[in-house]
Amino acid sequence: MGHNAFRSVSQTARSRLFGLTPRISGDRQVPLSMLISQQGKINHGRLAVIMFSICTVVLGVILSFVPWLDYIIFRELKLWNGSISYSYWQKPGVMRLTKVYIFNVTNSQAFLEMGEKPKLVEVGPFVYREDMEKVNIKFHDNDTLTYQHNKILRFVPEMSVDKKLKLVVPNIPLLTVTSFSHNMAPWLFNLFVSGLALTYKDRAKPFVDVTAEELVFGYNDPLVKLAHYFYPKGKRPNTQMGLLLARNGTLEEVSTIYTGHQGMERFGYLDKVNGLDHIPHWKDKPCNNLRASEGSFFPPRYVTKEDLVNVYDKDLCRIMPLKYRKDVYKDGIQTGLYTPPSSTFECAAVNPDNKCYCDGGDCPPRGLQNISPCQYNAPVYLSYPHFYDADPSLLEPFEGLKPDKQKHETYFMIQPRIGVPLEGFVRVQLNMKIDRAPGITVNNIDKFPDMIFPVMWLEEGIPEVTTPIWRWIYLATTVGPVAGPALTYSMIAGGLLTLAVIFIRAYKRFVLGQNSLEIIDVSRDTFRRGSMIILSSSILLPTSYRPLNKTTSCNELVYVGTQVSRSFENLRKKRSDFVKATFSEIERESLLNSNNAFIMSENSKINS
């Protein structure tokens, strides 16, 4: 009998000794079977846990390489009927305020008759809440949609100065007409103004007394009414004089913006206004460029990697660039602070890009922007409030102007990951360019010098977003970037840990369980080494066997069995405490109740 035969006999003996079912030769349990089976049967619960853990690890690895969080965020950010951003954009619900500050001229008579500097006193704010809604919305297949604005400005008395307060301001319609007097005979203008003074006495003076409500939303003026009838259709001014009169109601402009479905690089930017892909009031680029946002959304800096965005409002008559300055926090959310670059209202000599805004080559000094094409050719110029960041020569003719960066600078706080502004204010001043009319002596009009005269300035924007929108932005930009990776890595770690625990527990069962007590093979020259039962750290019991063959007599086999039986009987009491403390219940039962029946089995095999 070869070595393997004796090894098989010893394994069978071991199995019988401990009351275990003998293995068939060659039946070796593979690792997979070890993990998913117990006592020869598949453990479906353990198999399910293993499969779930493997799937969790695989899914975690995939998610760690796939921008799944961006997909969820951008899906709700893109404009489609049903997205979170669409409901916010269509009817914002935010407290959008327009604050108006009017310059009251306290020495108008002394200014005209004695040549004093105009003394300007800022009166305000006159606060209007803007209830805005997008209407007539239509989606198109080219990643755009069209809409119209419906705006209603409502006066907020608790935040405002009395709107019935009388103020002295320049007579804009009259001074607009007299500024063109150099193109006509002086006597004709004198006759015209004299007739106006006889018919409308108060409307023929260089300054008029009006309330804030009238200046903002309109008062009757004969010159404006006359212009309304004589201007070509489509270019006619309103029947009343009001600086914000055209802002109420559904605006005529039809805007087209990008929805973001074909890329976030142009998300929120205008594609066309009234079917035109440029600003029609300017002939050349970059002045007629329309690549700008209407203020609700901007292309995320997280995607574009650009530090410059643009905003457009028809009252600005141009796009206003905004440059990223630094990161700031708004209500716990990281945003980027954007302000206009210094070149925005720079003179054309320094910034050639502004030359196309010049009227017939006559370029204003730094800090002014000609917007007369958008104001029915009235000589209206735009600047920052109190001539902030403007040429000092614009401040010199006046008393009472005090530019302040904190109060007068335009800024936006835009979240870089999703391009939504959390706070932003556009602050601009309306000024009138007055050309002296030396031939018109009626009411001292000829004494009004050449100058850029400030009329009013306004602040328009949002101080904060609504709580539901803030909550969504906070989850998407603050919680998400932390929770997303934590979730994916937790899935990987959790799955691996679960698999490790299952493997360790299965390995312990394999080594220490009733099917895992292995006999050690010492060498090819040794037929069999006794099964060793550990009694303590230093006591070992050998159970010796002799090779069984055809010549082995029954007496010899009985002798060997008798010796083994005596050894077990003498040791049973000594090993009892150790076995009970070391092995499981099933193993203890096999060890403590083992007998020598295997010897008789071996003997019967030899005899057969």
Side-chain angles (χ1 to χ4, degrees), residues 231-281:
Y231 263 64
K233 189 176 182 180
K235 295 183 178 181
R236 292 176 180 176
N238 295 300
T239 57
Q240 290 183 313
M241 171 61 203
L243 295 177
L244 301 182
L245 182 61
R247 288 190 171 210
N248 259 346
T250 301
L251 306 185
E252 295 180 357
E253 289 78 13
V254 178
S255 302
T256 306
I257 65 170
Y258 290 99
T259 61
H261 288 280
Q262 295 181 8
M264 301 302 292
E265 293 78 8
R266 299 180 297 179
F267 172 65
Y269 268 11
L270 288 163
D271 177 38
K272 296 177 182 179
V273 175
N274 290 332
L276 300 176
D277 60 358
H278 62 278
I279 301 175
H281 308 294

Side-chain angles (χ1 to χ4, degrees), residues 178-241:
T178 59
S179 294
F180 296 112
S181 62
H182 58 275
N183 296 325
M184 300 181 65
W187 64 269
L188 184 60
F189 260 88
N190 266 311
L191 181 62
F192 175 75
V193 175
S194 297
L196 187 65
L198 291 175
T199 309
Y200 304 97
K201 183 178 180 180
D202 294 335
R203 296 293 182 253
K205 296 178 180 179
F207 292 93
V208 293
D209 296 343
V210 294
T211 65
E213 181 78 2
E214 290 173 334
L215 181 63
V216 172
F217 288 114
Y219 62 89
N220 292 322
D221 186 273
L223 292 178
V224 173
K225 187 175 292 187
L226 190 65
H228 177 77
Y229 286 114
F230 282 93
Y231 263 64
K233 189 176 182 180
K235 295 183 178 181
R236 292 176 180 176
N238 295 300
T239 57
Q240 290 183 313
M241 171 61 203

Side-chain angles (χ1 to χ4, degrees), residues 517-528:
L517 294 175
E518 294 291 344
I519 307 276
I520 301 174
D521 223 0
V522 177
S523 66
R524 299 180 63 179
D525 297 332
T526 304
F527 289 116
R528 187 72 172 84

Side-chain angles (χ1 to χ4, degrees), residues 509-572:
R509 281 192 297 269
F510 181 73
V511 173
L512 301 176
Q514 61 180 357
N515 290 319
S516 57
L517 294 175
E518 294 291 344
I519 307 276
I520 301 174
D521 223 0
V522 177
S523 66
R524 299 180 63 179
D525 297 332
T526 304
F527 289 116
R528 187 72 172 84
R529 182 172 181 177
S531 300
M532 310 301 290
I533 301 177
I534 303 174
L535 299 175
S536 64
S537 60
S538 60
I539 301 177
L540 299 176
L541 173 66
T543 304
S544 301
Y545 298 90
R546 293 175 56 187
L548 304 178
N549 51 51
K550 296 292 183 177
T551 62
T552 302
S553 67
C554 183
N555 292 332
E556 292 176 323
L557 186 61
V558 171
Y559 172 78
V560 173
T562 303
Q563 293 296 105
V564 172
S565 298
R566 289 177 181 175
S567 298
F568 272 93
E569 289 297 330
N570 293 334
L571 194 59
R572 185 179 298 275

Side-chain angles (χ1 to χ4, degrees), residues 427-441:
R427 294 161 172 165
V428 292
Q429 179 173 292
L430 297 178
N431 312 279
M432 186 166 188
K433 184 178 183 294
I434 299 172
D435 294 328
R436 186 169 178 266
I440 305 176
T441 58

